[in-house]
């Protein structure tokens, strides 16, 4: 665009056009490989084999340590949609997607709550999936549930701090505490809602940006912590990606500071934290440049390498450290797939800029 300025509406149209799965040739140009595509294919087969008859994935059954079934279904749906599968069109996994969506809708409470006994993490992830499902298909049956899910997020935002915490709004209003981990998922859901054409008031974004600043540090303000006064890699990647959703350009001093920090903390080959891998992949893919090339070289080699190749768990990933371990094999696998689908799930917001 003229003067390298971005028109958000034009960007939205570009992303909406890029919904179909591209060719392998295009994927290679974007940074993927034949190995990454085969890894995704094997993972989707594992998900299809291990889907329960009611449409969900039993996270505890596969090593999870919490009530994460709505998060598991939400993240699995995002994997299938990233692969080009839909509930309203024929395809290999159409039935899997349809049953998962039906189960998720049955869990939603009247106030929009999709936690399913878990925390707001679950609600955020499930809301992203609902918004993307509606945005891709424009199925009218999904619009009202997606709107209710977003309404609960809006009602649960801390008015004093601007972020979100573990619990939704209650009779006394929203929780006034916040942390960046929960906030990241809610913020992504609000942006997904806008992308799908749903109305989201601007003041909610303004408050969330204020919270991002409150938990930032570093010489340029490009480092982030779980809460104010701390810094850790996963939260740096989360904060950086949230800024990118707001179209903060890579030339902004905060962005290279975050990219350099993540670049010095490459993903582990043994027992990786898939939560960190997911957010770092999103952030560096948008940033592009040398930091992304170095990260991607390791990502596309390591994830296919450590994927289970044989037995009942073939196609999945062993639970890793951090939240990846808490969520068990389902969350570890879906976060890995979403990381490997980054080449076509998300359009680079600023274009490709060379190494």
């Amino acid at each position: 665009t003229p003067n390298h300025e971005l028109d958000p509406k034009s960007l939205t149209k570009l992303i909406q056009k890029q919904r179909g799965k591209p060719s392998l040739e295009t994927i290679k140009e974007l940074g993927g490989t034949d190995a990454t595509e085969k890894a995704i294919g094997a993972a989707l087969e594992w998900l299809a084999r291990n889907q329960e008859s009611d449409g969900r994935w039993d996270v505890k059954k596969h090593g999870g340590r919490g009530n994460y079934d709505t998060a598991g279904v939400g993240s699995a749906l995002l994997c299938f949609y990233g692969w080009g599968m839909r509930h309203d069109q024929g395809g290999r996994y159409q039935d899997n997607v349809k049953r998962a969506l039906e189960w998720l809708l049955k869990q939603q409470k009247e106030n929009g709550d999709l936690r399913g006994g878990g925390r707001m993490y679950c609600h955020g992830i499930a809301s992203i999936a609902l918004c993307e499902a509606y945005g891709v298909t424009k199925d009218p049956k999904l619009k009202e549930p997606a709107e209710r899910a977003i309404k609960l997020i809006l009602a649960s935002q801390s008015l004093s701090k601007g972020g979100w915490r573990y619990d939704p709004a209650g009779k006394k209003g929203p929780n006034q505490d916040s942390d960046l981990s929960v906030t990241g998922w809610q913020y992504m859901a609000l942006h997904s809602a806008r992308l799908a054409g749903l109305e989201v008031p601007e003041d909610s974004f303004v408050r969330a940006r204020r919270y991002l600043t409150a938990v930032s540090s570093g010489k340029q303000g490009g480092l982030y912590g779980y809460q104010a006064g701390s810094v850790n890699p996963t939260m740096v990647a989360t904060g950086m990606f949230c800024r990118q959703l707001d179209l903060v350009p890579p030339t902004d001093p905060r962005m290279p500071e975050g990219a350099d920090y993540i670049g010095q903390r490459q993903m582990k080959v043994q027992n990786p934290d898939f939560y960190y891998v997911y957010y770092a992949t999103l952030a560096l893919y948008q940033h592009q440049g040398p930091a992304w090339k170095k990260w991607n070289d390791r990502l596309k080699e390591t994830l296919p390498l450590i994927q289970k190749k044989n037995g009942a768990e073939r196609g999945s990933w062993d639970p890793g450290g951090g939240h990846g371990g808490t969520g068990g094999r389902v969350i570890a696998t879906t976060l890995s797939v979403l990381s490997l689908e980054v080449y076509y799930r998300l359009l680079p917001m600023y274009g490709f800029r060379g190494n």
Side-chain angles (χ1 to χ4, degrees):
T1 57
N3 303 319
H4 305 289
E5 295 178 356
L6 287 166
D7 173 9
K9 290 184 178 179
S10 297
L11 176 65
T12 297
K13 291 179 180 178
L14 281 171
I15 296 175
Q16 288 173 339
K17 286 174 65 177
Q18 193 192 9
R19 289 298 190 181
K21 187 171 174 293
S23 66
L24 180 58
E25 180 180 349
T26 302
I27 290 166
K28 288 180 178 179
E29 291 176 1
L30 297 174
T33 65
D34 182 56
T36 63
E37 286 300 281
K38 288 180 178 177
I40 295 169
L44 296 183
E45 289 181 8
W46 182 84
L47 286 171
R49 290 198 311 272
N50 288 277
Q51 187 176 22
E52 300 295 320
S53 59
D54 60 5
R56 70 190 170 105
W57 283 268
D58 190 331
V59 173
K60 284 186 177 179
K61 180 179 177 180
H62 298 284
R65 299 192 295 274
N67 295 319
Y68 291 107
D69 282 2
T70 57
V73 168
S75 56
L77 281 169
L78 290 172
C79 292
F80 284 116
Y81 274 96
W83 192 251
M85 297 293 104
R86 297 164 50 152
H87 71 282
D88 62 341
Q89 287 185 357
R92 182 174 182 180
Y93 299 113
Q94 180 187 12
D95 180 65
N96 300 98
V97 174
K98 185 176 180 180
R99 289 193 291 120
L101 266 176
E102 289 174 349
W103 180 86
L104 191 61
L105 292 173
K106 289 178 181 177
Q107 310 314 305
Q108 189 175 37
K109 295 181 179 179
E110 190 63 32
N111 67 347
D113 192 343
L114 285 164
R115 290 177 300 154
R119 293 176 168 178
M120 282 296 285
Y121 289 106
C122 299
H123 180 80
I125 295 171
S127 297
I128 295 169
L130 269 188
C131 289
E132 177 146 337
Y134 173 68
V136 169
T137 66
K138 295 301 180 185
D139 184 340
K141 295 193 298 291
L142 299 177
K143 184 178 182 181
E144 191 267 342
E147 289 176 331
R148 282 194 287 130
I150 294 302
K151 186 176 181 180
L152 181 66
I153 292 176
L154 294 173
S156 302
Q157 185 178 25
S158 169
L159 298 178
S160 59
K161 292 190 174 182
W164 287 264
R165 193 62 164 153
Y166 296 141
D167 299 316
K171 293 182 179 179
K172 297 182 179 180
N175 190 324
Q176 293 305 311
D177 197 7
S178 303
D179 72 69
L180 184 54
S181 183
V182 175
T183 295
W185 294 109
Q186 315 313 312
Y187 205 50
M188 289 172 69
L190 295 184
H191 275 280
S192 295
R194 270 195 171 178
L195 188 62
L198 303 179
E199 292 292 328
V200 183
E202 181 61 27
D203 60 350
S204 183
F205 291 97
V206 172
R207 285 194 294 270
R209 291 173 196 136
R210 187 178 74 235
Y211 182 68
L212 288 173
T213 299
V215 296
S216 67
S217 61
K219 292 182 179 180
Q220 307 297 338
L223 307 182
Y224 301 88
Y226 180 73
Q227 292 181 316
S230 64
V231 175
N232 75 65
T234 304
M235 294 301 98
V236 171
T238 302
M240 185 176 175
F241 184 64
C242 287
R243 294 293 194 194
Q244 290 166 332
L245 290 174
D246 288 330
L247 302 182
V248 173
T251 53
D252 184 291
R254 293 171 291 185
M255 308 312 277
E257 183 175 41
D260 289 344
Y261 181 92
I262 298 170
Q264 295 171 22
R265 293 158 179 82
Q266 294 291 310
M267 66 174 292
K268 298 178 181 179
V269 176
Q270 299 292 332
N271 197 38
D273 182 344
F274 293 107
Y275 190 31
Y276 172 56
V277 171
Y278 170 69
Y279 268 114
T281 300
L282 293 182
L284 293 182
Y285 176 69
Q286 295 300 334
H287 193 72
Q288 293 289 304
W292 162 245
K293 185 179 185 306
K294 182 178 179 181
W295 178 272
N296 186 45
D297 285 345
R298 184 149 186 168
L299 175 82
K300 63 188 180 183
E301 178 183 355
T302 300
L303 286 184
L305 178 67
I306 64 176
Q307 186 180 31
K308 302 295 286 186
K309 303 297 191 300
N310 302 297
E313 306 299 356
R314 68 184 182 280
S316 68
W317 280 265
D318 289 334
H323 284 76
T326 304
R329 188 172 299 276
V330 173
I331 300 300
T333 298
T334 53
L335 290 179
S336 295
V337 170
L338 292 173
S339 298
L340 292 176
E341 287 182 346
V342 71
Y343 312 113
Y344 43 85
R345 262 189 55 79
L346 296 175
L347 191 73
M349 298 173 188
Y350 316 98
F352 292 107
R353 300 185 308 282
N355 293 333

